Amino acid sequence: MNSDRAAGSEVVDSRSVFGAPCWVSLTTRDLSAAEKFYTAVMGWDWRSGKLGEQYRFASVGGVPVAGVSAVEATAQQAFAWTPFFAVANADQTVARSQERGGTTAVGPISFPPGRAALLADRDGAVFGVWEGELVADWEEWRRAAPVFVELHTRDAFDAAIFYAEVLGWASQAEGCCEVRYENEKVVLRSRADTVVAHIHSGAVESARDPAMRPRWQIHFAVADVAACVEAARGHGGSLVQQAPDGGEAVLSDPDGARFVVNSTSC
């Protein structure tokens, strides 16, 4: 991330929304192909920033909404969307994760004006943390490209405890995220009761699926789910799954990175 923000937008620090998702980033092997695909499906514009030509910022109406980085393809490389959560101190957050069985893939490393780390929880779901100035005002980011993130995992309650302890959810600190259990999901809310994340593992009485790969999934609110599905198919992507009512679809981009488009924001 960097400070390439929309002109005149408010400077917001990660401490003011700590624990909440504050950015989403995609890894891809072909930056140009990814730009064309997501322009067609999501209508995004693109620009480079201080991180160089191999990291591009997607924007809506001049507001940065997502990042895409090019990485060299290997046999083990998994191309995926990753959510980043705002934290007050990246080093302390990484230490708390490690103490609770999480692993660290990268960092913390400096990306002025902040620091980032890439982690995995104790079930292997990958997520990032960010300390410092946000790319765009948090409320502005959510208005430009409404997004929430959802963790599919084997044990929602165990995962909720891990993230609460690592990211400070439901703590006594001012401005922390609230956690509730609703409709067989753990629901995370931040700022004015805004839903920003779900954690679920199926119905309470259902058996755990040992073959399931825990993962965070990015949901984007769009005006027309069917149009996104058609655009994805027409630009090298595919439809993985669609809700019977057509209001939600899981899509895969040309590199296999999955994301969700919804007709509502949560």
Side-chain angles (χ1 to χ4, degrees):
M1 297 186 200
N2 67 11
S3 57
D4 291 12
R5 61 181 64 252
S9 63
E10 178 188 354
V11 174
V12 178
D13 188 89
S14 61
R15 293 171 181 81
S16 67
V17 289
F18 77 92
C22 65
W23 189 244
V24 292
S25 190
L26 170 71
T27 53
T28 184
R29 59 182 168 184
D30 189 331
L31 205 52
S32 177
E35 287 185 17
K36 292 177 182 177
F37 176 83
Y38 286 99
T39 295
V41 177
M42 303 299 296
W44 291 340
D45 299 315
W46 301 90
R47 69 184 184 189
S48 297
K50 297 177 182 178
L51 298 183
E53 289 297 325
Q54 295 306 301
Y55 193 95
R56 299 279 284 166
F57 288 87
S59 63
V60 174
V63 179
V65 295
V68 180
S69 60
V71 296
E72 185 176 349
T74 66
Q76 294 78 33
Q77 178 66 51
F79 301 102
W81 279 97
T82 302
F84 280 76
F85 294 85
V87 298
N89 187 297
D91 293 285
Q92 292 177 7
T93 302
V94 169
R96 287 196 297 269
S97 173
Q98 292 174 338
E99 289 168 359
R100 289 158 179 80
T103 57
T104 305
V106 179
I109 54 178
S110 295
F111 288 112
R115 305 182 75 227
L118 192 63
L119 312 174
D121 65 23
R122 49 192 169 217
D123 278 332
V126 176
F127 66 103
V129 297
W130 174 257
E131 170 199 348
E133 183 181 321
L134 303 186
V135 175
D137 167 68
W138 191 80
E139 299 286 0
E140 188 178 43
W141 172 61
R142 288 188 53 80
R143 285 194 299 269
V147 62
F148 76 99
V149 299
E150 187 167 48
L151 176 63
H152 296 247
T153 190
R154 299 185 183 96
D155 188 328
F157 292 104
D158 181 72
I161 292 171
F162 172 85
Y163 286 98
E165 293 176 342
V166 171
L167 299 176
W169 296 350
S171 66
Q172 297 301 312
E174 182 180 354
C176 72
C177 295
E178 294 184 2
V179 182
R180 305 174 190 171
Y181 185 71
E182 304 171 7
N183 301 319
E184 298 184 334
K185 293 182 180 181
V186 175
V187 179
L188 182 71
R189 285 180 162 82
S190 177
R191 281 196 178 185
D193 213 31
T194 302
V195 175
V196 293
H198 292 165
I199 299 176
H200 76 92
S201 51
V204 172
E205 67 276 6
S206 63
R208 298 182 188 178
D209 180 2
M212 177 187 166
R213 182 177 64 85
R215 68 196 183 279
W216 281 98
Q217 204 163 49
I218 311 300
H219 291 240
F220 295 101
V222 298
D224 191 333
V225 172
C228 290
V229 172
E230 183 178 357
R233 285 171 164 166
H235 291 80
S238 62
L239 172 65
V240 178
Q241 185 178 356
Q242 188 162 13
D245 63 2
E248 177 178 296
V250 181
L251 302 177
S252 176
D253 72 15
D255 278 332
R258 295 185 179 187
F259 62 103
V260 183
V261 290
N262 300 84
S263 57
T264 57
S265 60
C266 62

